[in-house]
Amino acid sequence: MKLHIAYACNTCYMEQTIVSMVSLLEHNRTQQIVLYFIADHVKPFWIEMARRTAAAYGARLKVVSLDRLLGELKQVLSLQNSRHPLTIYAKLFLDRICGADRILYLDSDTVILDSLLPLWDMEFKNAWAAGVAMPYSDIQKRRLGLDPADTYVCDGILMLHLKQWREQCCGQRCVDYIYAKKGRPPMLSEGVVNFICRKRLLVLHPRYNLMSGMLLWDAAQLMRLYGVQGGYYANREILQARYRPVIVHYLNELYLRPWYAGSGHPYCLAYRYYRKKAGLQSRLPYGRLKTRTYVLRIMNACLPFSVFCGIYRRIKGIEQKRRGQFISRDIMDRCRI
C-alpha cells in the first residue's frame, strides 16, 4: 500500500524532522512511502540530507516551498504575533500538492514506533479529518465557537480525508476563516481545523499521539485538570498509549524535550536512538525547563492532587483570559458547514 505522509518546518526543526522520518521509515519498510516536505527557507544542506534519508529507504520525497503552498495567504498570516512558525498552516492545504484520497500530517517533534498502516485501513465515513482528542472543557470549546459535544483534536498528528477535503472545499473554508480573523485565528492552525471540521472529526486512539500529559496523569486526572464534563478516553486507553505508543509527540510542556541534554522525558531514548541512526552525531545542547513548568512539576509531585488541580486550573484560566480567544457569531455563520 502507498502511504502519503507530510512534514512542514523551517531550518530550526530540520534535525527533528530527519529523526522523525527515520523512525517512520524504519517501522514501515514494507510499505510504499511518499513523503511531502513543505519547507520554509530551509538550507540546502538539510534538503539534501532529507533526500538521502528518504532514498536510503526507497521512499519518494517531494519538496514544496511554503511560499508556493500558501501564496498570498502567507502575508496575511505573517501579521500575527506568534512564537509558532507559519509552517503549522501547511496541513490545511495539502490537497493542493497531493492527489491521494488521504494523507497523514506529522509534526517534526515526533517519533514513530510502530506501523502506520492501520490508519489507511480505517473507515472515515463522513469525517473530513482524524486526530487524537484533547481534554477540553465545555467552557473552552464555547470560547472557540464549538458546542460542548463537539470533538477537539490535536492537529500535530492529523489524518486528512483529502477526497472529502476537496469535495467540501475545506481549503477555501480555511482561507475564508483565516481572513475573517485577520490572520490571527484562535489556537492558530489547530483552531482552524477544529472549527472548520466540527461535526466531521474522527477520534483516533491516543496511541497515535502520546502527549506529555498522558505520561504524567491518568484519564480521570486529565478530566479534572481540564474541567472535562463530557466524554474522554477511558483510562485503559491512556495506559495503552503510555506503554505501547505508535507515535510519541514531544510537546513543549511538562518535560524537557529529548534533543536537549538532561531530558527526563520517558521516551527520551527513543529519540536519541533514531537520531543516532540518522547519522546525527553532534553533541546535544544543554537545556532546562521553563520556570513555570519546573514549578508545576514540583507542585504535582509534592501536593495532594486535589490541591494541585485547583492551582493548575486557576493558572490555565488566567492564561486563557489573557489570550482572549473567542469566535464571533458572524464568523461562525460565514464558515458554517
Side-chain angles (χ1 to χ4, degrees):
M1 182 176 288
K2 189 176 290 186
L3 310 186
H4 295 261
I5 298 166
Y7 290 94
C9 76
N10 55 26
T11 292
C12 295
Y13 269 85
M14 274 309 299
E15 175 188 305
Q16 290 80 2
T17 302
I18 297 294
V19 172
S20 183
M21 284 174 55
V22 170
S23 68
L24 160 73
L25 296 168
E26 279 284 331
H27 288 281
N28 293 271
R29 285 178 174 270
T30 60
Q31 310 304 322
Q32 289 181 277
I33 306 291
V34 181
L35 294 169
Y36 300 81
F37 176 54
I38 295 90
D40 186 20
H41 300 100
V42 174
K43 294 179 180 178
F45 165 79
W46 286 112
I47 297 291
E48 182 56 30
M49 187 172 187
R51 291 190 188 280
R52 290 200 308 267
T53 300
Y57 290 89
R60 292 172 58 194
L61 179 69
K62 299 182 179 182
V63 180
V64 181
S65 73
L66 184 68
D67 291 344
R68 174 192 155 195
L69 187 66
L70 295 185
E72 63 179 19
L73 189 62
K74 187 176 181 182
Q75 295 179 342
V76 178
L77 290 167
S78 296
L79 297 174
Q80 68 178 332
N81 180 20
S82 171
R83 63 186 177 88
H84 294 276
L86 294 183
T87 49
I88 62 173
Y89 292 96
K91 63 179 74 75
L92 305 176
F93 308 106
L94 294 174
D95 60 316
R96 297 178 177 179
I97 59 173
C98 178
D101 284 350
R102 60 182 68 187
I103 189 169
L104 177 66
Y105 169 83
L106 295 172
D107 269 356
S108 298
D109 55 347
T110 57
V111 293
I112 293 79
L113 302 180
D114 206 342
S115 171
L116 296 177
L117 189 59
L119 290 177
W120 269 261
D121 291 335
M122 71 180 185
E123 288 291 334
F124 262 103
K125 297 182 179 178
N126 295 322
W128 300 349
V132 170
M134 299 284 279
Y136 269 33
S137 68
D138 293 355
I139 295 173
Q140 289 170 309
K141 289 179 180 179
R142 287 193 186 100
R143 286 172 177 166
L144 292 169
L146 304 176
D147 295 329
D150 287 340
T151 300
Y152 187 99
V153 301
C154 173
D155 76 339
I157 290 92
L158 192 71
M159 191 78 173
L160 294 176
H161 191 333
L162 289 183
K163 186 174 183 292
Q164 289 273 16
W165 200 264
R166 286 185 285 266
E167 290 176 356
Q168 301 298 330
C169 302
C170 291
Q172 188 58 50
R173 291 173 189 260
C174 293
V175 170
D176 293 343
Y177 179 70
I178 290 169
Y179 270 104
K181 295 303 294 180
K182 299 180 180 179
R184 297 171 181 263
M187 303 300 286
L188 308 176
S189 63
E190 191 170 88
V192 177
V193 166
N194 280 279
F195 185 75
I196 297 301
C197 297
R198 62 197 184 281
K199 318 295 185 188
R200 294 291 187 271
L201 284 168
L202 181 67
V203 177
L204 299 178
H205 193 285
R207 291 183 67 211
Y208 289 101
N209 190 348
L210 177 63
M211 294 175 267
S212 301
M214 297 174 184
L215 290 162
L216 205 56
W217 301 300
D218 63 27
Q221 290 173 326
L222 285 167
M223 291 176 72
R224 286 187 64 186
L225 283 169
Y226 291 94
V228 179
Q229 288 83 36
Y232 186 55
Y233 294 110
N235 195 51
R236 60 179 173 77
E237 293 176 302
I238 297 297
L239 292 176
Q240 287 169 353
R242 186 182 297 176
Y243 297 113
R244 291 190 58 197
V246 177
I247 302 173
V248 179
H249 194 181
Y250 300 107
L251 291 173
N252 187 24
E253 58 177 11
L254 301 176
Y255 295 99
L256 185 64
R257 287 164 141 182
W259 45 90
Y260 292 112
S263 171
H265 194 287
Y267 282 92
C268 170
L269 293 181
Y271 180 87
R272 305 273 175 85
Y273 173 79
Y274 292 111
R275 185 178 187 269
K276 184 176 181 180
K277 209 163 188 64
L280 297 164
Q281 302 291 345
S282 59
R283 293 183 63 181
L284 293 168
Y286 175 77
R288 63 180 182 180
L289 286 172
K290 294 179 181 179
T291 302
R292 171 191 177 282
T293 305
Y294 179 77
V295 171
L296 282 174
R297 289 292 301 273
I298 293 295
M299 288 194 298
N300 181 63
C302 299
L303 296 175
F305 181 78
S306 59
V307 176
F308 169 76
C309 182
I311 296 172
Y312 184 83
R313 290 184 64 175
R314 182 170 179 80
I315 292 171
K316 296 295 287 186
I318 292 171
E319 291 174 346
Q320 288 158 11
K321 285 182 180 178
R322 284 177 180 171
R323 286 196 293 264
Q325 294 174 333
F326 294 83
I327 296 180
S328 63
R329 180 60 58 181
D330 64 315
I331 292 173
M332 289 179 67
D333 291 340
R334 267 180 274 173
C335 305
R336 190 163 298 282
I337 295 172

